[in-house]
Amino acid sequence: MTFPDYEAVGFKEILVKLEGAVVTVTLNRPEQFNTFSIVLSEEIVQAFELFDKDDRVRVVILTAEPTAPAFCAGANITGGWSNLWSPEVEKQGHRAHRDRGGRVSLAIYHCRKITIAAVNGHAAGVGVTGLQLPFDFRFAWQGAKITFPFVRRGIAAEAVSSYLLPQLIGHSRATSLLLSGSTVNPTSHLISSLYHQILPTKEEVYPAAKTFANELAETTSQTGVAYTKALLRHPGESIEENQLRGSWVFSAMTHEGDANEGAQSFMQKRKPKFKDTLSSTKTPWTPWWRLVDLKAKL
Amino acid sequence: MTFPDYEAVGFKEILVKLEGAVVTVTLNRPEQFNTFSIVLSEEIVQAFELFDKDDRVRVVILTAEPTAPAFCAGANITGGWSNLWSPEVEKQGHRAHRDRGGRVSLAIYHCRKITIAAVNGHAAGVGVTGLQLPFDFRFAWQGAKITFPFVRRGIAAEAVSSYLLPQLIGHSRATSLLLSGSTVNPTSHLISSLYHQILPTKEEVYPAAKTFANELAETTSQTGVAYTKALLRHPGESIEENQLRGSWVFSAMTHEGDANEGAQSFMQKRKPKFKDTLSSTKTPWTPWWRLVDLKAKL
Amino acid sequence: MTFPDYEAVGFKEILVKLEGAVVTVTLNRPEQFNTFSIVLSEEIVQAFELFDKDDRVRVVILTAEPTAPAFCAGANITGGWSNLWSPEVEKQGHRAHRDRGGRVSLAIYHCRKITIAAVNGHAAGVGVTGLQLPFDFRFAWQGAKITFPFVRRGIAAEAVSSYLLPQLIGHSRATSLLLSGSTVNPTSHLISSLYHQILPTKEEVYPAAKTFANELAETTSQTGVAYTKALLRHPGESIEENQLRGSWVFSAMTHEGDANEGAQSFMQKRKPKFKDTLSSTKTPWTPWWRLVDLKAKL
């Protein structure tokens, strides 16, 4: 199987760089405060769908240039909301609409690799909901201004944030943030549990995330990660169903090369060299949950 | 549409005062430690059902006079538990019972406006479960004694607290509080994440809540708030269903006056003047969840 | 009804001691770092199934000798993973496997008494997932090294941890812990909300847990505890269903002896003397949830 040359894909509003097993996506619209354009959203979806299938990739980082005035200032609503619609959907009505922020969230959320948001600047709206919540880990600059402004813009929480935010930090904090529209720093008691690590300066955020990513790329199993993510997101409707799903995964995986290498390297007190990949493993990717097709019939 | 004159409704155990778009409910049984009587519970249900439909109301605060000896000391069980039953239900059996605390919780929880509990005194039992958990925001005095005493009174957690408390602060903390029956202060690590803000003195609690309420009343969209609450409480059974519900809401709302005003006021760096109301908006209130009738057949 | 003499059961790898209404289980494989053997797992399942039905027992504590080098070092994988399989299951395939860690978790989780893990040493793998997460309360030594190492061993999160950990502390923290495989102390912001109390020394952990257990054994109702646990674990699919289940429980329990004693002792400002037991109470144990049989057809 051959994998893409990311430099040759022709991305316009993001930069994508693969180093070893870690790929870094840099938002590349600094003059527009990295606002969330149609092109940007489509490129992020495309990139994460590629990473999901690229066996070389173990960890993905999303960040912005630390010199940009914001990590992502949200959607650009200088012309009102109409620039968010495609003409086809406008003709079909509300039921055919698929929120662009949500499409980005889902592409990141469905990526089976470890994902890290390195939030090295201010973030508003979809810059939090779409570009932070669906990640596995969030690193942030302690001075970043974080805002969920929806109720102050006359709309409701978007980009599947009403699903993800309460799951991540509980309904008490999620409700405080989404219904107040207040601006907070990552160290605020309202939001701190969203972040894996909070750094004193903008400049430290990406390096800290990269060091962590490199460590995870060297020490974690690609299949172990993918199935742990699957179990976390689809735990089953009861603890008993979780035991059934988890037991099947456990039995299948412990017969594989990575589990053997995991046990051996542990006993030999050395770093593991995991070789199983999502396309090579004998444990087939077998979703036990209902797959939902979100395409609208136009 | 005309709305009620709250001073003329004739409430006996609560005081209701509308100032601008903020309505304040004050528990008015100080000599009984604001215990939870049948009349009190029915008046709270009636009041929150009115607020839900009253387009003038954007934010509701519940509080007690700071001179009262408690915010709410819970149910009055000096005569045992029998005063909690109606004779009809007693005849019909356990299946016909509808917990009064739970009825209050549900009325508050179903109110589509922003709700704030200003806990300026001690609170026990239903004074926490019914009069704090269903609110969107909780402000508290740091010296308040907070107790979930159920297992120490020979009963189980009531007033839908077994549903709400784990959702709000996670099962680890919820289990600690409900199974120990211990008394804690709002600053305790076991409960602090329940509170939006904790104040040093009783006297500061309501003013802090009122200032916050005034700000939200001026800056938030009534329909944006209502649909954000709906999405938080009914996120769908999967992230994909959330994307479908949220996209419909997003598409409908961005075609409305409040979204237009939200974008314009943001660009013009001025406060918004939101005019859409739940009865006037073109985005109809369209619940996508199963509505459950809780009336017992007697 | 007669109850077992725990000293006479013949446990080999655990010690079981009943004092008053508190039973203490001590892991008894100090020379093997209390690793999780087949015998150990079966004895824990057997013990918790007995405690569930033993009316004398109100609180269960699990701990290790503080002189042991670890609370539980996880599964013993010195011989690879094959020692975790039974020959029958190996013949039947992955679908017939039932994860041993999950079986232990479920036995503890289903025990209707108050359960406390007194973590007085390091814990890895199933020493956290199986021997901490299913408990109601966790006490820990602040110096304990806590690790979820699965992705670093080439496998996925086991022992129903993908179900329990996000419920207990939220998905943000659970994902950080399970996908990084990092080692943390109980005071780490990533895991501290898992613990009811964190103690400075190993030696203080069990005594603190025991004092707490004694207090709960004296002051809590066995039936109140059992139904509160049932409501927390099976809250219903909506808040309305929770109101129906909770109202039935409330109505049934308030007609019982323990509720009467709870009200009377409260009014008389004395400790309660609760006498109802799970086998004697008139409130029958009536599960409203779907019971799932996990036995594999071999």
Side-chain angles (χ1 to χ4, degrees):
Chain A
M1 193 177 286
T2 58
F3 297 109
D5 173 1
Y6 293 106
E7 320 262 336
V9 170
F11 292 120
K12 285 172 188 148
E13 304 195 349
I14 57 176
L15 301 169
V16 176
K17 190 170 181 184
L18 179 66
E19 296 169 289
V22 177
V23 67
T24 298
V25 178
T26 306
L27 302 171
N28 194 25
R29 288 165 54 78
E31 278 149 43
Q32 292 81 29
F33 292 71
N34 287 326
T35 46
F36 191 81
S37 68
I38 293 182
V39 171
L40 184 75
S41 72
E42 290 178 353
E43 290 186 353
I44 293 175
V45 169
Q46 183 187 357
F48 278 81
E49 286 178 356
L50 290 171
F51 304 149
D52 175 67
K53 297 199 173 75
D54 186 338
D55 284 348
R56 299 170 303 176
V57 174
R58 288 176 185 266
V59 186
V60 186
I61 308 177
L62 178 83
T63 195
E65 283 296 330
T67 59
F71 171 73
C72 171
N76 180 351
I77 55 171
T78 50
W81 303 94
S82 58
N83 58 338
L84 301 175
W85 312 131
S86 67
E88 294 89 347
V89 168
E90 198 64 358
K91 214 165 48 183
Q92 300 290 337
H94 308 321
R95 293 263 167 228
H97 183 60
R98 295 295 178 272
D99 174 30
R100 274 185 186 284
R103 284 158 63 188
V104 164
S105 289
L106 286 166
I108 298 165
Y109 189 80
H110 285 147
C111 179
R112 292 169 294 174
K113 312 302 173 63
I114 291 171
T115 59
I116 303 173
V119 184
N120 52 359
H122 309 309
V126 72
V128 195
T129 56
L131 299 184
Q132 297 187 34
L133 303 188
F135 286 81
D136 298 320
F137 298 90
R138 285 157 292 278
F139 286 65
W141 166 42
Q142 70 177 27
K145 294 178 189 166
I146 309 290
T147 320
F148 297 87
F150 311 108
V151 293
R152 296 181 184 226
R153 301 288 176 269
I155 62 170
E158 42 69 277
V160 298
S161 60
S162 57
Y163 183 89
L164 289 176
L165 193 59
Q167 273 205 345
L168 289 165
I169 61 170
H171 272 265
S172 182
R173 294 321 190 198
T175 301
S176 278
L177 292 164
L178 291 177
L179 284 189
S180 72
S182 306
T183 298
V184 295
N185 289 127
T187 52
S188 161
H189 69 113
L190 296 177
I191 202 168
S192 64
S193 66
L194 194 61
Y195 295 100
H196 183 78
Q197 196 177 340
I198 300 173
L199 284 302
T201 66
K202 280 170 130 176
E203 290 72 22
E204 290 165 276
V205 176
Y206 176 70
K210 186 75 192 305
T211 301
F212 182 68
N214 286 339
E215 193 209 339
L216 295 188
E218 277 185 28
T219 55
T220 65
S221 157
Q222 190 175 95
T223 50
V225 162
Y227 267 110
T228 297
K229 290 183 71 157
L231 284 163
L232 277 167
R233 279 136 190 220
H234 303 280
E237 291 187 11
S238 65
I239 194 169
E240 287 85 7
E241 188 180 337
N242 186 263
Q243 165 72 344
L244 292 176
R245 305 315 185 186
S247 294
W248 178 85
V249 169
F250 193 70
S251 179
M253 295 195 81
T254 46
H255 287 77
E256 294 278 338
D258 270 10
N260 187 41
E261 171 63 9
Q264 293 217 351
S265 60
F266 177 66
M267 297 321 299
Q268 295 164 10
K269 300 192 179 180
R270 59 167 175 85
K271 281 199 180 170
K273 286 185 191 162
F274 290 124
K275 292 183 184 162
D276 290 343
T277 64
L278 283 171
S279 61
S280 76
T281 176
K282 285 175 294 175
T283 301
W285 183 253
T286 310
W288 50 83
W289 53 93
R290 199 162 44 133
L291 298 172
V292 181
D293 181 0
L294 285 171
K295 280 211 194 79
K297 232 178 181 171
L298 290 178
Chain B
M1 192 175 288
T2 58
F3 297 110
D5 173 1
Y6 294 105
E7 320 263 335
V9 170
F11 293 118
K12 284 172 189 149
E13 303 195 349
I14 58 175
L15 303 169
V16 176
K17 191 170 182 186
L18 179 66
E19 296 168 290
V22 178
V23 68
T24 298
V25 177
T26 306
L27 302 171
N28 194 24
R29 289 165 54 78
E31 278 149 43
Q32 292 81 28
F33 293 71
N34 287 325
T35 46
F36 191 80
S37 69
I38 293 182
V39 171
L40 184 76
S41 73
E42 289 178 354
E43 289 186 354
I44 293 175
V45 169
Q46 183 188 358
F48 278 82
E49 287 179 354
L50 290 170
F51 304 150
D52 174 67
K53 296 198 173 75
D54 185 337
D55 284 349
R56 298 170 305 177
V57 173
R58 288 176 185 267
V59 186
V60 185
I61 308 177
L62 177 83
T63 195
E65 283 295 330
T67 59
F71 172 72
C72 173
N76 181 350
I77 55 170
T78 49
W81 302 94
S82 59
N83 58 338
L84 300 174
W85 312 131
S86 67
E88 293 91 348
V89 168
E90 198 63 0
K91 217 165 47 186
Q92 300 290 335
H94 308 320
R95 293 261 167 229
H97 183 60
R98 295 296 177 272
D99 173 30
R100 274 185 186 283
R103 283 158 65 189
V104 164
S105 288
L106 285 166
I108 298 166
Y109 189 80
H110 286 147
C111 178
R112 291 169 295 176
K113 311 303 173 62
I114 291 170
T115 59
I116 304 173
V119 184
N120 53 359
H122 309 308
V126 72
V128 194
T129 56
L131 299 184
Q132 297 187 34
L133 302 188
F135 287 81
D136 298 319
F137 299 90
R138 284 156 293 278
F139 286 65
W141 166 42
Q142 71 178 28
K145 293 178 191 165
I146 309 290
T147 320
F148 297 86
F150 311 109
V151 293
R152 295 180 184 226
R153 300 286 176 273
I155 62 169
E158 42 70 276
V160 298
S161 59
S162 56
Y163 183 89
L164 290 176
L165 193 59
Q167 274 205 344
L168 289 164
I169 62 171
H171 272 265
S172 182
R173 295 320 192 196
T175 301
S176 276
L177 291 164
L178 291 177
L179 284 189
S180 72
S182 305
T183 298
V184 295
N185 289 126
T187 53
S188 160
H189 69 113
L190 297 176
I191 203 168
S192 64
S193 66
L194 194 61
Y195 295 99
H196 183 78
Q197 198 178 338
I198 298 173
L199 285 303
T201 66
K202 280 169 129 177
E203 290 72 23
E204 290 165 277
V205 176
Y206 176 72
K210 187 75 192 305
T211 301
F212 182 68
N214 286 340
E215 194 210 339
L216 295 187
E218 277 186 28
T219 54
T220 65
S221 157
Q222 189 175 96
T223 50
V225 163
Y227 267 111
T228 296
K229 290 183 71 159
L231 284 163
L232 277 167
R233 280 136 189 222
H234 303 281
E237 290 185 14
S238 65
I239 195 168
E240 287 85 6
E241 188 181 338
N242 186 263
Q243 164 73 344
L244 292 177
R245 304 314 184 184
S247 294
W248 178 85
V249 169
F250 192 70
S251 179
M253 296 197 79
T254 47
H255 287 77
E256 294 279 338
D258 269 11
N260 188 41
E261 171 62 9
Q264 292 217 352
S265 61
F266 177 66
M267 298 321 299
Q268 295 163 13
K269 300 192 177 178
R270 60 168 173 83
K271 280 197 180 170
K273 287 183 190 162
F274 290 124
K275 291 181 184 162
D276 290 342
T277 63
L278 284 171
S279 61
S280 76
T281 177
K282 284 177 293 175
T283 301
W285 184 254
T286 310
W288 51 81
W289 54 93
R290 200 164 42 133
L291 299 172
V292 181
D293 182 0
L294 285 171
K295 279 211 195 80
K297 233 179 182 170
L298 290 178
Chain C
M1 193 175 285
T2 57
F3 298 110
D5 172 2
Y6 293 107
E7 320 263 335
V9 170
F11 292 119
K12 286 173 189 147
E13 303 196 350
I14 57 175
L15 302 170
V16 176
K17 189 169 183 186
L18 178 66
E19 295 168 291
V22 178
V23 67
T24 298
V25 177
T26 306
L27 303 170
N28 194 23
R29 289 165 54 79
E31 278 147 44
Q32 292 82 28
F33 292 72
N34 287 324
T35 45
F36 191 81
S37 69
I38 293 182
V39 171
L40 185 76
S41 73
E42 288 177 356
E43 290 186 352
I44 292 176
V45 169
Q46 183 187 359
F48 278 81
E49 286 178 355
L50 290 171
F51 304 150
D52 175 66
K53 296 198 174 75
D54 185 338
D55 284 349
R56 298 170 304 175
V57 174
R58 288 175 185 267
V59 186
V60 186
I61 308 178
L62 177 83
T63 196
E65 282 296 331
T67 59
F71 172 72
C72 172
N76 180 351
I77 55 171
T78 49
W81 302 93
S82 59
N83 57 337
L84 300 174
W85 312 131
S86 67
E88 294 90 346
V89 167
E90 198 63 358
K91 213 164 51 184
Q92 299 290 335
H94 308 320
R95 294 262 167 230
H97 182 61
R98 295 296 177 271
D99 174 30
R100 273 186 186 282
R103 283 158 64 188
V104 164
S105 289
L106 286 166
I108 298 166
Y109 189 80
H110 285 148
C111 177
R112 292 169 294 174
K113 311 303 173 60
I114 292 171
T115 59
I116 304 173
V119 184
N120 53 359
H122 309 309
V126 72
V128 195
T129 56
L131 299 184
Q132 297 187 33
L133 303 188
F135 286 81
D136 298 319
F137 299 90
R138 283 158 293 277
F139 286 64
W141 166 41
Q142 70 177 27
K145 294 179 191 165
I146 308 290
T147 320
F148 297 86
F150 311 107
V151 293
R152 296 180 184 226
R153 301 288 176 270
I155 62 169
E158 43 68 277
V160 299
S161 60
S162 57
Y163 183 89
L164 289 176
L165 192 60
Q167 274 205 345
L168 288 165
I169 62 170
H171 272 265
S172 183
R173 293 323 190 194
T175 301
S176 278
L177 292 164
L178 291 177
L179 284 189
S180 72
S182 305
T183 298
V184 295
N185 288 126
T187 53
S188 160
H189 69 114
L190 297 176
I191 203 169
S192 64
S193 66
L194 193 61
Y195 295 100
H196 184 78
Q197 197 179 338
I198 299 173
L199 284 302
T201 66
K202 280 169 131 179
E203 290 72 24
E204 289 166 278
V205 176
Y206 176 70
K210 186 75 193 305
T211 301
F212 183 69
N214 286 339
E215 193 210 340
L216 296 187
E218 277 185 27
T219 55
T220 64
S221 156
Q222 189 174 97
T223 50
V225 163
Y227 267 111
T228 296
K229 289 183 71 158
L231 284 163
L232 277 167
R233 280 137 190 220
H234 302 282
E237 291 187 11
S238 65
I239 194 169
E240 287 85 7
E241 188 181 338
N242 186 262
Q243 165 72 343
L244 291 177
R245 305 314 184 186
S247 295
W248 178 85
V249 169
F250 193 69
S251 179
M253 295 197 79
T254 48
H255 287 78
E256 293 279 338
D258 270 10
N260 187 42
E261 171 62 11
Q264 291 217 354
S265 60
F266 177 65
M267 298 320 299
Q268 295 163 11
K269 300 192 178 178
R270 59 168 174 84
K271 281 198 181 170
K273 287 184 190 160
F274 291 124
K275 292 182 186 163
D276 290 342
T277 64
L278 283 170
S279 62
S280 75
T281 177
K282 285 176 293 175
T283 301
W285 184 254
T286 310
W288 51 81
W289 53 92
R290 200 161 43 131
L291 299 172
V292 181
D293 182 0
L294 287 172
K295 280 211 195 80
K297 234 179 179 168
L298 289 179

